[in-house]
mmCIF file of all heavy atoms in Angstrom:
data_model
loop_
_atom_site.group_PDB
_atom_site.id
_atom_site.type_symbol
_atom_site.label_atom_id
_atom_site.label_comp_id
_atom_site.label_asym_id
_atom_site.label_seq_id
_atom_site.Cartn_x
_atom_site.Cartn_y
_atom_site.Cartn_z
ATOM 1 N N THR A 1 50.680 82.540 199.459
ATOM 2 C CA THR A 1 51.182 83.894 199.700
ATOM 3 C C THR A 1 50.543 84.418 200.996
ATOM 4 O O THR A 1 50.289 85.525 201.165
ATOM 5 C CB THR A 1 50.746 84.852 198.550
ATOM 6 O OG1 THR A 1 49.304 84.749 198.352
ATOM 7 C CG2 THR A 1 51.363 84.459 197.233
ATOM 8 N N THR A 2 50.457 83.542 201.968
ATOM 9 C CA THR A 2 49.835 83.854 203.259
ATOM 10 C C THR A 2 50.543 84.973 204.023
ATOM 11 O O THR A 2 49.907 85.755 204.592
ATOM 12 C CB THR A 2 49.848 82.590 204.120
ATOM 13 O OG1 THR A 2 49.133 81.515 203.500
ATOM 14 C CG2 THR A 2 49.122 82.847 205.531
ATOM 15 N N PHE A 3 51.887 84.949 204.026
ATOM 16 C CA PHE A 3 52.594 85.905 204.917
ATOM 17 C C PHE A 3 53.084 87.126 204.123
ATOM 18 O O PHE A 3 53.519 88.079 204.726
ATOM 19 C CB PHE A 3 53.743 85.205 205.533
ATOM 20 C CG PHE A 3 53.264 84.032 206.395
ATOM 21 C CD1 PHE A 3 53.463 82.707 206.046
ATOM 22 C CD2 PHE A 3 52.525 84.247 207.585
ATOM 23 C CE1 PHE A 3 52.969 81.687 206.779
ATOM 24 C CE2 PHE A 3 52.044 83.181 208.309
ATOM 25 C CZ PHE A 3 52.288 81.931 207.963
ATOM 26 N N ASP A 4 53.216 87.057 202.830
ATOM 27 C CA ASP A 4 53.624 88.189 202.015
ATOM 28 C C ASP A 4 53.148 88.065 200.551
ATOM 29 O O ASP A 4 52.317 87.210 200.280
ATOM 30 C CB ASP A 4 55.187 88.391 202.096
ATOM 31 C CG ASP A 4 55.952 87.139 201.655
ATOM 32 O OD1 ASP A 4 55.418 86.415 200.843
ATOM 33 O OD2 ASP A 4 57.056 86.982 202.115
ATOM 34 N N GLU A 5 53.695 88.854 199.659
ATOM 35 C CA GLU A 5 53.312 88.857 198.309
ATOM 36 C C GLU A 5 54.115 87.835 197.392
ATOM 37 O O GLU A 5 53.974 87.931 196.219
ATOM 38 C CB GLU A 5 53.455 90.263 197.722
ATOM 39 C CG GLU A 5 52.514 91.275 198.399
ATOM 40 C CD GLU A 5 51.010 91.017 198.065
ATOM 41 O OE1 GLU A 5 50.739 90.863 196.855
ATOM 42 O OE2 GLU A 5 50.189 91.009 198.977
ATOM 43 N N ILE A 6 54.885 87.038 197.999
ATOM 44 C CA ILE A 6 55.732 86.072 197.303
ATOM 45 C C ILE A 6 55.228 84.649 197.506
ATOM 46 O O ILE A 6 55.009 84.243 198.673
ATOM 47 C CB ILE A 6 57.209 86.185 197.702
ATOM 48 C CG1 ILE A 6 57.714 87.487 197.505
ATOM 49 C CG2 ILE A 6 58.060 85.106 196.901
ATOM 50 C CD1 ILE A 6 57.707 88.077 196.037
ATOM 51 N N CYS A 7 55.005 83.927 196.425
ATOM 52 C CA CYS A 7 54.537 82.544 196.554
ATOM 53 C C CYS A 7 55.653 81.671 197.201
ATOM 54 O O CYS A 7 56.787 81.697 196.741
ATOM 55 C CB CYS A 7 54.222 81.990 195.155
ATOM 56 S SG CYS A 7 53.698 80.234 195.277
ATOM 57 N N ARG A 8 55.314 80.912 198.137
ATOM 58 C CA ARG A 8 56.293 80.069 198.876
ATOM 59 C C ARG A 8 56.681 78.886 198.036
ATOM 60 O O ARG A 8 57.705 78.262 198.351
ATOM 61 C CB ARG A 8 55.695 79.635 200.228
ATOM 62 C CG ARG A 8 55.413 80.774 201.138
ATOM 63 C CD ARG A 8 54.630 80.343 202.371
ATOM 64 N NE ARG A 8 55.376 79.281 203.097
ATOM 65 C CZ ARG A 8 56.087 79.501 204.211
ATOM 66 N NH1 ARG A 8 56.231 80.788 204.637
ATOM 67 N NH2 ARG A 8 56.722 78.542 204.806
ATOM 68 N N GLY A 9 55.983 78.536 196.988
ATOM 69 C CA GLY A 9 56.342 77.433 196.146
ATOM 70 C C GLY A 9 57.225 77.866 194.970
ATOM 71 O O GLY A 9 58.302 77.262 194.765
ATOM 72 N N CYS A 10 56.839 78.816 194.235
ATOM 73 C CA CYS A 10 57.600 79.186 192.996
ATOM 74 C C CYS A 10 58.475 80.478 193.156
ATOM 75 O O CYS A 10 59.353 80.656 192.288
ATOM 76 C CB CYS A 10 56.656 79.307 191.795
ATOM 77 S SG CYS A 10 55.577 80.790 191.881
ATOM 78 N N GLY A 11 58.237 81.273 194.157
ATOM 79 C CA GLY A 11 59.009 82.458 194.363
ATOM 80 C C GLY A 11 58.589 83.728 193.582
ATOM 81 O O GLY A 11 59.245 84.726 193.729
ATOM 82 N N ARG A 12 57.513 83.562 192.796
ATOM 83 C CA ARG A 12 57.052 84.744 192.006
ATOM 84 C C ARG A 12 56.136 85.579 192.878
ATOM 85 O O ARG A 12 55.527 85.124 193.824
ATOM 86 C CB ARG A 12 56.270 84.233 190.811
ATOM 87 C CG ARG A 12 57.108 83.539 189.799
ATOM 88 C CD ARG A 12 56.230 83.066 188.646
ATOM 89 N NE ARG A 12 55.341 82.059 189.058
ATOM 90 C CZ ARG A 12 54.325 81.563 188.371
ATOM 91 N NH1 ARG A 12 54.075 82.037 187.082
ATOM 92 N NH2 ARG A 12 53.521 80.629 188.780
ATOM 93 N N SER A 13 56.088 86.848 192.541
ATOM 94 C CA SER A 13 55.209 87.757 193.212
ATOM 95 C C SER A 13 53.794 87.480 192.749
ATOM 96 O O SER A 13 53.498 86.848 191.689
ATOM 97 C CB SER A 13 55.480 89.247 192.959
ATOM 98 O OG SER A 13 55.218 89.526 191.546
ATOM 99 N N VAL A 14 52.817 87.954 193.470
ATOM 100 C CA VAL A 14 51.394 87.843 193.069
ATOM 101 C C VAL A 14 51.154 88.377 191.711
ATOM 102 O O VAL A 14 50.451 87.788 190.854
ATOM 103 C CB VAL A 14 50.469 88.446 194.162
ATOM 104 C CG1 VAL A 14 49.080 88.522 193.698
ATOM 105 C CG2 VAL A 14 50.591 87.783 195.473
ATOM 106 N N VAL A 15 51.769 89.537 191.435
ATOM 107 C CA VAL A 15 51.618 90.169 190.113
ATOM 108 C C VAL A 15 52.290 89.303 189.001
ATOM 109 O O VAL A 15 51.635 89.158 187.918
ATOM 110 C CB VAL A 15 52.223 91.567 190.113
ATOM 111 C CG1 VAL A 15 52.279 92.212 188.759
ATOM 112 C CG2 VAL A 15 51.483 92.519 191.125
ATOM 113 N N GLU A 16 53.431 88.761 189.264
ATOM 114 C CA GLU A 16 54.050 87.855 188.302
ATOM 115 C C GLU A 16 53.232 86.738 187.964
ATOM 116 O O GLU A 16 53.099 86.284 186.848
ATOM 117 C CB GLU A 16 55.431 87.504 188.767
ATOM 118 C CG GLU A 16 56.440 88.694 188.715
ATOM 119 C CD GLU A 16 57.690 88.395 189.539
ATOM 120 O OE1 GLU A 16 57.767 87.429 190.352
ATOM 121 O OE2 GLU A 16 58.704 89.072 189.225
ATOM 122 N N VAL A 17 52.629 86.085 189.087
ATOM 123 C CA VAL A 17 51.805 84.887 188.802
ATOM 124 C C VAL A 17 50.591 85.284 187.948
ATOM 125 O O VAL A 17 50.246 84.582 186.975
ATOM 126 C CB VAL A 17 51.352 84.346 190.165
ATOM 127 C CG1 VAL A 17 50.237 83.209 189.923
ATOM 128 C CG2 VAL A 17 52.505 83.708 190.960
ATOM 129 N N ALA A 18 49.986 86.410 188.284
ATOM 130 C CA ALA A 18 48.747 86.879 187.550
ATOM 131 C C ALA A 18 48.991 87.142 186.140
ATOM 132 O O ALA A 18 48.146 86.932 185.264
ATOM 133 C CB ALA A 18 48.154 88.085 188.305
ATOM 134 N N HIS A 19 50.227 87.748 185.819
ATOM 135 C CA HIS A 19 50.505 88.190 184.445
ATOM 136 C C HIS A 19 51.417 87.180 183.683
ATOM 137 O O HIS A 19 51.775 87.554 182.520
ATOM 138 C CB HIS A 19 51.139 89.548 184.492
ATOM 139 C CG HIS A 19 50.249 90.621 185.040
ATOM 140 N ND1 HIS A 19 48.889 90.601 184.995
ATOM 141 C CD2 HIS A 19 50.467 91.814 185.686
ATOM 142 C CE1 HIS A 19 48.364 91.683 185.565
ATOM 143 N NE2 HIS A 19 49.329 92.400 185.984
ATOM 144 N N TRP A 20 51.735 86.093 184.318
ATOM 145 C CA TRP A 20 52.655 85.118 183.631
ATOM 146 C C TRP A 20 52.382 84.854 182.152
ATOM 147 O O TRP A 20 53.162 84.940 181.272
ATOM 148 C CB TRP A 20 52.807 83.891 184.420
ATOM 149 C CG TRP A 20 53.900 82.998 184.023
ATOM 150 C CD1 TRP A 20 53.816 81.874 183.239
ATOM 151 C CD2 TRP A 20 55.277 83.181 184.229
ATOM 152 N NE1 TRP A 20 55.037 81.313 183.011
ATOM 153 C CE2 TRP A 20 56.005 82.088 183.617
ATOM 154 C CE3 TRP A 20 56.055 84.116 184.904
ATOM 155 C CZ2 TRP A 20 57.314 81.978 183.649
ATOM 156 C CZ3 TRP A 20 57.408 84.000 184.970
ATOM 157 C CH2 TRP A 20 58.064 82.925 184.359
ATOM 158 N N VAL A 21 51.065 84.538 181.909
ATOM 159 C CA VAL A 21 50.686 84.086 180.542
ATOM 160 C C VAL A 21 50.893 85.268 179.573
ATOM 161 O O VAL A 21 51.034 84.921 178.328
ATOM 162 C CB VAL A 21 49.246 83.585 180.438
ATOM 163 C CG1 VAL A 21 49.192 82.248 181.248
ATOM 164 C CG2 VAL A 21 48.276 84.503 180.935
ATOM 165 N N SER A 22 50.823 86.549 179.973
ATOM 166 C CA SER A 22 50.941 87.613 178.989
ATOM 167 C C SER A 22 52.325 88.188 179.003
ATOM 168 O O SER A 22 52.621 89.131 178.230
ATOM 169 C CB SER A 22 49.918 88.639 179.343
ATOM 170 O OG SER A 22 50.074 89.219 180.612
ATOM 171 N N MET A 23 53.260 87.714 179.799
ATOM 172 C CA MET A 23 54.587 88.237 179.870
ATOM 173 C C MET A 23 55.393 87.816 178.671
ATOM 174 O O MET A 23 55.242 86.740 178.147
ATOM 175 C CB MET A 23 55.294 87.798 181.172
ATOM 176 C CG MET A 23 54.762 88.450 182.396
ATOM 177 S SD MET A 23 55.494 87.709 183.892
ATOM 178 C CE MET A 23 57.178 88.231 183.795
ATOM 179 N N SER A 24 56.308 88.615 178.239
ATOM 180 C CA SER A 24 57.238 88.249 177.096
ATOM 181 C C SER A 24 58.190 87.168 177.601
ATOM 182 O O SER A 24 58.419 87.067 178.856
ATOM 183 C CB SER A 24 58.011 89.479 176.665
ATOM 184 O OG SER A 24 58.988 89.836 177.595
#
């Protein structure tokens, strides 16, 4: 996420990555 808040590998935002395990 060097250049923005979106992961260049999976396309998720930093928040989505951080909360993935608790998301419905």
Side-chain angles (χ1 to χ4, degrees):
T1 54
T2 303
F3 302 107
D4 57 28
E5 295 289 312
I6 302 298
C7 177
R8 296 173 58 100
C10 70
R12 294 177 294 169
S13 70
V14 172
V15 172
E16 290 166 340
V17 171
H19 296 332
W20 189 258
V21 296
S22 62
M23 290 172 68
S24 71

